[in-house]
Amino acid sequence: MWDRIKSTIVELFQRRLLVMIIVFCILFTVLAGRCFQLQIVDGQSYLDDYRLQIQKTRTIQGTRGNIYDRNGKLLAYNELAYSVTIEDNGEYDTIAEKNKELNKEISQIIEIVESNGDSVISDFSIVLDANNEYQFSMTNETQRLRFVADVFGEQKIDGLDEEQQNMSAADIIDYLCTDETYGYGIDQDELEKSEVLKLVNIRYAISLNSFQKYIPTTVAEDVSEETVAGIMEHMDELQGVDIAEESLRKYTDSKYFANIIGYTGQISQEEYNALSDEEKEQYDLTDTVGKSGLEQVLDSTLQGEKGEVKLYVNSVGRVTETVGETEPKAGDNVYLTIDADLQKAAYDILEQEIAGILLAKMQDILDYDRSGTEDAADVIVASGDAYNAFISNDIVDMSRFSAEDAGSAEKSVYSKFSSYKEQVIGQLTSILQDGNSTVYSNLSKEWKAYLTYLVSDVLTDSAGIIDSDAIDTDDETYSEWISGGDINIYTYLNYAISQNWVDSSKLQDYLESGEKYSDSSEIYNAIVTYLTDRVQTDTSFDKLIYQYMIKAGTVTGSELCRIIYEQGVLEWDETQYNNLASGATGAYDFLRSKIQSLEITPGQLGLEPCSGSVVITDPDNGDVLACVSYPGYDNNRLANTMDSAYFNELNTNSSLPLYNRATQETTAPGSTYKPLSAVAGLTEGAVTLDTAVYCDGVYDNISPSVRCWIYPSSHGTMDVVSGITNSCNEYFNNLGYQLGIQEDGTYSSDVGLEKLKKYAEMFGLGETSGLEIPETDPQISTEDSVRSAMGQGNNNFTTSQLARYITAVANQGTLYELTLLDRVEKVDGTVEKEYEAKSQKIEGISSTTWNAVNAGMQGVVQNSSVFPEINASGISVSGKTGTAQQSNEHADHGLFVAFAPSESPEIAMALRIANGYSSTYASEVGSAILQYYYQITDSSELITGQAAEIAATTHGD
């Protein structure tokens, strides 16, 4: 028996399967025991160790290099400041729990920050308008779509579907607040819109670091010590919140230099995508970079080298240990060719002159129609337009008119506005629903303005409901509407629907059934509903209503002037306020006094004129000593974390502060072009030094004939020198004609234009000036050599391009590529790079030609009543005035170019006052700048902080 059992056992163990089973059981037992040891006995220890094994590297940007003027005056620098930061490193079981806790924490941070007078970040691309409605801060459609793409995590705009592309600012906010997967769980019904926007601002900024939670997000920057203390006191209950020292970019005398230097900000996805693969290795999406101006152009120079911190983070991104640090290296310092004092003086002198022109041309007229003006010189500045600018240009905040704590004038204006707007909307509804309503041509100016705004600005440009690409511009009905003919809005919109010019997909929320396909009546009713809804909250429509209430005197200048005090635009003056209220001080006199004292500036009003530019160079080397664009702006408010509301104000301001008038605005050069034409005519042999032309006031060799500016008087006999000195149009008309004479003796405008183009290109007017910041391309005239020779035709140049040209005239033939950059130095003062303007010699122009041109330009200054101080100083100046026409409804542009001393020039300049009426005023600015530069007149007499007293009469050019 025993042997049988023994034999069976041996036989079993000899079987492979049994052996495998036994081995498996043993291994399983060992594995189970090990798992018990790891998970139960040593589980917590291993979990802690695991959390310590995730190593990350946090980069630290180097301190940005400083920017100095040519004399070492600091223009851009860095300042250490305290910032409140947050890391999204909390542990949550659900998204809902995360949203609840994070929103609660952020709300507490906002309360602490604001209770101490500081502000949280506001660089989100959505802001609240004057009607407390959400709107995009950018005006460019591509930028808007880029922002929407960022919200939805799309690298390219093309990745957006149609619904996403058409989302409004309110739709974006709603998505970010409520989306189940990506939303922030913000209760929009419980909170004010301003509070919602603050939460979205911060949550969105945090979400940009969602894959790098160990990188802190700035919630508030440059905060006070009180805020620091408040945050520190609550640190134990604020998960991931900390106080950090940050290097903030600051700018000295910002308005004077903003259009040159630009500002910094966090790199955008679009900017990052545009980098080369090599450049991407140097940048992270959290980096601060130059966003415009020289900050952007020289970003790699100013950036410095990054440092890094090696750290360990746990599984939720919380930093547990720092193990190593490499210090960053500061960026290089940049020295500009700009003379800061000269730049500031030129800016102030220019502002004073523009204010003086405004006052000289202003009349106490509420409703002024310039459409009937036959001569641009007769255009006036109406007081009604100035009062309207208080609202249209956001000098006052009309959203505050309805606030509980509004002032008496604010309440009065709002009461009248509310009543009037209700009437307008009621009448609008009636007009839209009446097929027999008044035709456009018979409407009042006010109602023409309302309907044009709704059709063109709202339905076509803004909402895209009328598809401009689908419109047949040759269609008779369309032409009738555009020309303001005998057609009403009901007929036009229904016709647009019948022609499929209306995109009904944009009206789905207003179609009764939401059907994709609807009949024309349903679509029209949807348009009516859309428009009546839109005007309820449309800020621009409200501004239009205010405009006509001001024209009618319903909203008075006195009320608006008092509102300036009530809103703190001007420092409170009880006596002045009460005098306005009682009528002891008239609104018109008050307005003039505040423009006179520059408490209200031309840049704020945004009327014509409101802008100008000056570019001053060194003729010996092409260095730019001043590059002024008026009005400027405060780039401190755009740097670091952008103030989106302020950026939106700059974008909508009619004076266009972000637009560099020196390098981007082009107009005809007017008579400042005549020295170039003289060089062309003399060198080509079209005229000689002795060629005499009799000016009788009209040049009639071509049709239509051309009048000299002196008409109905005349200049008499002119040669090239006197032609320049007296700016005789007829002399230069003849020169342009002679340039076009062919071998067979016949005149060809094209031949003349080609010769003028040759010399324009020789003087650099066929290309940008070389400046390192963005510049508009020039346009050399391609029409009418007779008019082109006197600076008209379709010549169009920037002030910087005219400065380059006149610099070459000053040094008699050396054409420089202008530069703003002098040198780059390392932190220790070692020169890293020196800049030198490239140059080329203009060949083929005789010394007698140069001398003749110079003599003519000297005559301009010597014979002018504008330059008595200059002429008495013994410093010879060569100059040329110019007036460029725009239209009869807009004042002419005033220009002036000059260099000094005439014999051996040290500076050259070009300046322009857009819609400045006359070159006399431009030359007054030039005279004051020269007096400042050569210290002929004390600077306190030139820069007074008051509007300039301008010439009572103007000379021709």
Side-chain angles (χ1 to χ4, degrees):
M1 181 70 175
W2 172 249
D3 289 339
R4 186 180 300 172
I5 294 172
K6 183 179 178 181
S7 175
T8 301
I9 292 172
V10 170
E11 184 178 346
L12 285 171
F13 272 94
Q14 287 178 338
R15 294 181 181 179
R16 293 181 180 178
L17 180 61
L18 179 62
V19 173
M20 290 177 65
I21 291 172
I22 293 172
V23 171
F24 177 80
C25 289
I26 294 170
L27 292 175
F28 179 80
T29 302
V30 172
L31 180 61
R34 187 60 179 160
C35 286
F36 181 83
Q37 180 73 24
L38 290 171
Q39 294 185 37
I40 307 301
V41 178
D42 298 325
Q44 186 61 44
S45 173
Y46 278 112
L47 178 60
D48 292 341
D49 287 345
Y50 163 74
R51 286 176 173 170
L52 292 174
Q53 297 309 307
I54 307 175
Q55 189 185 78
K56 297 291 183 181
T57 300
R58 178 190 293 168
T59 59
I60 307 172
Q61 273 195 282
T63 303
R64 199 169 181 85
N66 294 335
I67 300 177
Y68 299 88
D69 87 331
R70 68 188 298 112
N71 299 312
K73 293 190 176 180
L74 194 59
L75 304 179
Y77 62 100
N78 308 288
E79 187 176 88
L80 283 178
Y82 291 117
S83 296
V84 181
T85 65
I86 186 171
E87 293 179 25
D88 178 18
N89 55 23
E91 298 183 52
Y92 314 101
D93 293 329
T94 64
I95 293 176
E97 180 189 354
K98 173 183 176 178
N99 284 333
K100 180 181 178 181
E101 293 300 320
L102 200 51
N103 290 342
K104 178 182 177 182
E105 181 176 350
I106 292 171
S107 296
Q108 186 177 355
I109 295 170
I110 293 172
E111 183 179 352
I112 294 171
V113 169
E114 293 187 340
S115 67
N116 293 297
D118 294 319
S119 302
V120 293
I121 60 172
S122 60
D123 61 345
F124 195 52
S125 294
I126 292 176
V127 296
L128 286 170
D129 65 17
N131 287 329
N132 201 40
E133 298 294 333
Y134 297 116
Q135 71 172 44
F136 293 107
S137 63
M138 67 285 290
T139 55
N140 182 283
E141 179 66 6
T142 302
Q143 291 176 340
R144 184 190 73 83
L145 290 173
R146 180 60 261 170
F147 164 66
V148 175
D150 289 342
V151 169
F152 286 99
E154 298 289 346
Q155 285 207 353
K156 296 183 178 180
I157 292 173
D158 295 343
L160 295 170
D161 60 34
E162 186 175 353
E163 181 183 358
Q164 291 169 336
Q165 289 181 23
N166 294 325
M167 289 179 81
S168 66
D171 293 334
I172 295 291
I173 293 291
D174 188 62
Y175 166 79
L176 291 174
C177 288
T178 62
D179 187 79
E180 292 184 5
T181 305
Y182 301 106
Y184 305 146
I186 298 172
D187 189 337
Q188 299 177 80
D189 296 325
E190 185 178 306
L191 300 173
E192 296 288 337
K193 286 183 177 179
S194 59
E195 296 173 313
V196 170
L197 191 57
K198 290 172 189 174
L199 280 172
V200 170
N201 248 299
I202 297 171
R203 288 296 306 272
Y204 183 74
I206 292 172
S207 73
L208 296 178
N209 285 340
S210 58
F211 297 104
Q212 302 178 92
K213 295 184 177 183
Y214 55 91
I215 295 178
T217 299
T218 298
V219 175
E221 62 184 16
D222 200 11
V223 297
S224 64
E225 292 183 1
E226 290 77 12
T227 293
V228 172
I231 294 294
M232 296 294 287
E233 184 180 342
H234 296 85
M235 195 78 81
D236 57 338
E237 60 195 75
L238 295 173
Q239 173 65 43
V241 176
D242 199 1
I243 296 295
E245 275 194 352
E246 286 191 341
S247 179
L248 299 182
R249 196 64 161 173
K250 298 288 185 179
Y251 302 102
T252 306
D253 296 320
S254 57
K255 68 178 181 179
Y256 297 105
F257 305 98
N259 275 293
I260 302 174
I261 294 176
Y263 54 91
T264 62
Q266 185 171 326
I267 190 171
S268 67
Q269 183 70 57
E270 185 177 23
E271 288 168 327
Y272 184 78
N273 292 343
L275 297 173
S276 65
D277 292 339
E278 183 180 347
E279 288 173 326
K280 284 180 180 177
E281 295 179 4
Q282 303 172 31
Y283 289 91
D284 297 316
L285 279 169
T286 56
D287 283 352
T288 295
V289 298
K291 304 290 281 188
S292 72
L294 291 174
E295 288 277 28
Q296 183 179 45
V297 173
L298 300 172
D299 189 70
S300 60
T301 299
L302 294 164
Q303 277 281 357
E305 294 182 18
K306 291 181 180 179
E308 61 181 35
V309 176
K310 292 190 179 297
L311 44 83
Y312 287 102
V313 298
N314 63 19
S315 56
V316 294
R318 185 180 301 167
V319 177
T320 58
E321 184 182 0
T322 300
V323 295
E325 182 173 348
T326 303
E327 290 293 329
K329 294 181 180 179
D332 294 337
N333 297 324
V334 174
Y335 286 78
L336 307 183
T337 60
I338 295 292
D339 181 325
D341 291 339
L342 181 60
Q343 173 92 4
K344 291 161 64 177
Y347 183 101
D348 288 336
I349 290 168
L350 182 62
E351 181 177 56
Q352 291 172 180
E353 186 76 16
I354 295 172
I357 300 170
L358 272 179
L359 290 175
K361 302 299 180 180
M362 184 175 286
Q363 295 182 27
D364 194 10
I365 298 174
L366 292 180
D367 189 3
Y368 172 63
D369 182 5
R370 61 174 61 190
S371 62
T373 307
E374 295 183 359
D375 188 333
D378 297 330
V379 173
I380 69 164
V381 178
S383 60
D385 292 337
Y387 299 139
N388 181 59
F390 290 178
I391 290 177
S392 65
N393 235 22
D394 297 314
I395 296 173
V396 298
D397 183 354
M398 64 182 181
S399 69
R400 289 176 52 183
F401 294 176
S402 59
E404 290 184 10
D405 60 346
S408 60
E410 290 176 305
K411 289 177 180 177
S412 172
V413 168
Y414 185 71
S415 175
K416 290 187 282 189
F417 169 77
S418 299
S419 175
Y420 193 79
K421 182 177 179 180
E422 187 177 344
Q423 295 175 35
V424 169
I425 292 176
Q427 190 172 345
L428 173 64
T429 303
S430 176
I431 289 172
L432 289 170
Q433 293 174 343
D434 183 3
N436 296 312
S437 63
T438 306
V439 297
Y440 189 94
S441 60
N442 291 337
L443 291 170
S444 66
K445 288 189 297 182
E446 179 177 357
W447 274 96
K448 285 178 179 178
Y450 292 153
L451 298 187
T452 298
Y453 172 76
L454 293 176
V455 174
S456 299
D457 294 72
V458 175
L459 291 178
T460 308
D461 295 339
S462 175
I465 291 171
I466 296 179
D467 183 357
S468 57
D469 292 332
I471 294 175
D472 176 7
T473 54
D474 294 326
D475 184 275
E476 289 185 9
T477 302
Y478 173 77
S479 298
E480 186 76 11
W481 172 260
I482 290 299
S483 63
D486 295 334
I487 183 173
N488 62 27
I489 189 172
Y490 181 96
T491 302
Y492 174 68
L493 290 179
N494 275 284
Y495 184 79
I497 293 168
S498 72
Q499 297 299 304
N500 293 318
W501 298 346
V502 172
D503 184 353
S504 60
S505 68
K506 304 286 180 68
L507 293 165
Q508 291 303 301
D509 292 340
Y510 295 89
L511 292 168
E512 290 184 10
S513 59
E515 294 291 333
K516 185 174 182 180
Y517 302 102
S518 305
D519 62 34
S520 58
S521 63
E522 288 177 319
I523 294 174
Y524 184 74
N525 288 333
I527 289 176
V528 172
T529 305
Y530 170 80
L531 287 176
T532 51
D533 280 356
R534 171 73 178 250
V535 296
Q536 297 287 347
T537 59
D538 190 305
T539 305
S540 296
F541 191 73
D542 286 352
K543 288 182 176 181
L544 202 54
I545 292 175
Y546 273 118
Q547 177 182 335
Y548 282 94
M549 292 181 73
I550 291 168
K551 284 176 179 289
T554 308
V555 170
T556 68
S558 176
E559 288 172 318
L560 291 166
C561 291
R562 285 156 56 204
I563 288 172
I564 286 180
Y565 282 120
E566 290 177 350
Q567 294 197 358
V569 178
L570 296 180
E571 186 176 344
W572 177 256
D573 184 330
E574 187 169 359
T575 301
Q576 190 75 277
Y577 180 88
N578 290 335
N579 285 342
L580 281 166
S582 67
T585 299
Y588 181 63
D589 290 336
F590 173 83
L591 173 66
R592 291 186 65 88
S593 71
K594 296 307 174 185
I595 295 173
Q596 177 63 45
S597 63
L598 295 179
E599 291 173 85
I600 297 174
T601 67
Q604 285 178 292
L605 291 171
L607 304 175
E608 292 180 357
C610 67
S611 64
S613 55
V614 182
V615 177
I616 304 173
T617 67
D618 183 338
D620 287 336
N621 52 30
D623 285 354
V624 175
L625 306 179
C627 184
V628 172
S629 176
Y630 178 85
Y633 62 93
D634 186 357
N635 48 354
N636 286 299
R637 297 180 64 179
L638 303 184
N640 309 304
T641 302
M642 178 180 284
D643 183 339
S644 294
Y646 179 62
F647 183 69
N648 184 56
E649 286 177 24
L650 295 177
N651 271 319
T652 56
N653 191 307
S654 60
S655 64
L656 304 176
L658 292 173
Y659 183 57
N660 191 326
R661 301 281 181 170
T663 64
Q664 293 177 298
E665 181 178 52
T666 60
T667 70
S671 295
T672 63
Y673 198 72
K674 288 174 179 174
L676 185 151
S677 296
V679 171
L682 290 169
T683 307
E684 290 294 318
V687 294
T688 69
L689 295 177
D690 299 321
T691 298
V693 175
Y694 184 80
C695 169
D696 59 6
V698 178
Y699 187 76
D700 54 11
N701 273 14
I702 62 169
S703 182
S705 59
V706 186
R707 288 182 178 179
C708 186
W709 66 265
I710 202 170
Y711 180 86
S713 297
S714 62
H715 281 118
T717 302
M718 294 280 107
D719 61 15
V720 67
V721 173
S722 59
I724 294 173
T725 294
N726 293 286
S727 199
C728 178
N729 288 347
E730 194 163 350
Y731 178 87
F732 283 94
N733 293 153
N734 179 70
L735 186 151
Y737 186 87
Q738 294 301 322
L739 282 171
I741 296 297
Q742 303 177 92
E743 290 184 5
D744 62 1
T746 59
Y747 165 71
S748 167
S749 177
D750 289 342
V751 171
L753 287 169
E754 277 302 311
K755 291 176 182 175
L756 285 170
K757 179 182 178 183
K758 170 186 172 183
Y759 286 86
E761 289 177 341
M762 287 170 62
F763 282 91
L765 292 176
E767 59 188 3
T768 53
S769 69
L771 291 179
E772 291 81 4
I773 54 180
E775 187 174 345
T776 303
D777 289 331
Q779 167 67 50
I780 297 174
S781 183
T782 57
E783 58 184 38
D784 192 346
S785 69
V786 168
R787 287 178 171 82
S788 296
M790 67 178 192
Q792 294 295 329
N794 58 357
N795 280 309
N796 276 294
F797 308 112
T798 65
T799 307
S800 52
Q801 288 152 14
L802 292 178
R804 184 190 189 196
Y805 140 61
I806 210 64
T807 298
V809 174
N811 61 40
Q812 298 196 355
T814 302
L815 180 66
Y816 288 102
E817 291 186 13
L818 302 184
T819 181
L820 291 163
L821 304 178
D822 181 33
R823 67 187 186 279
V824 174
E825 288 186 1
K826 291 186 174 297
V827 178
D828 62 7
T830 305
V831 176
E832 176 78 2
K833 182 178 181 179
E834 289 188 295
Y835 291 88
E836 185 176 329
K838 296 179 181 177
S839 66
Q840 61 188 57
K841 193 67 179 174
I842 300 174
E843 303 291 349
I845 300 173
S846 69
S847 60
T848 55
T849 293
W850 289 121
N851 292 338
V853 169
N854 198 340
M857 293 178 69
Q858 285 188 64
V860 171
V861 174
Q862 292 167 355
N863 295 340
S864 171
S865 61
V866 173
F867 299 92
E869 298 86 358
I870 297 290
N871 291 329
S873 71
I875 296 174
S876 59
V877 175
S878 298
K880 186 69 198 78
T881 54
T883 300
Q885 298 172 352
Q886 181 173 340
S887 73
N888 287 343
E889 295 181 18
H890 298 273
D892 295 340
H893 307 298
L895 299 100
F896 179 68
V897 297
F899 55 87
S902 299
E903 300 78 15
S904 181
E906 297 170 349
I907 65 167
M909 73 168 71
L911 65 92
R912 168 172 33 222
I913 301 176
N915 304 114
Y917 286 87
S918 168
S919 60
T920 297
Y921 305 134
S923 60
E924 286 182 340
V925 174
S927 174
I929 291 173
L930 288 166
Q931 290 176 62
Y932 173 87
Y933 184 83
Y934 285 108
Q935 300 180 352
I936 296 169
T937 304
D938 190 272
S939 61
S940 63
E941 296 180 36
L942 297 169
I943 304 168
T944 63
Q946 299 281 317
E949 270 190 48
I950 67 169
T953 58
T954 60
H955 58 71
D957 59 356

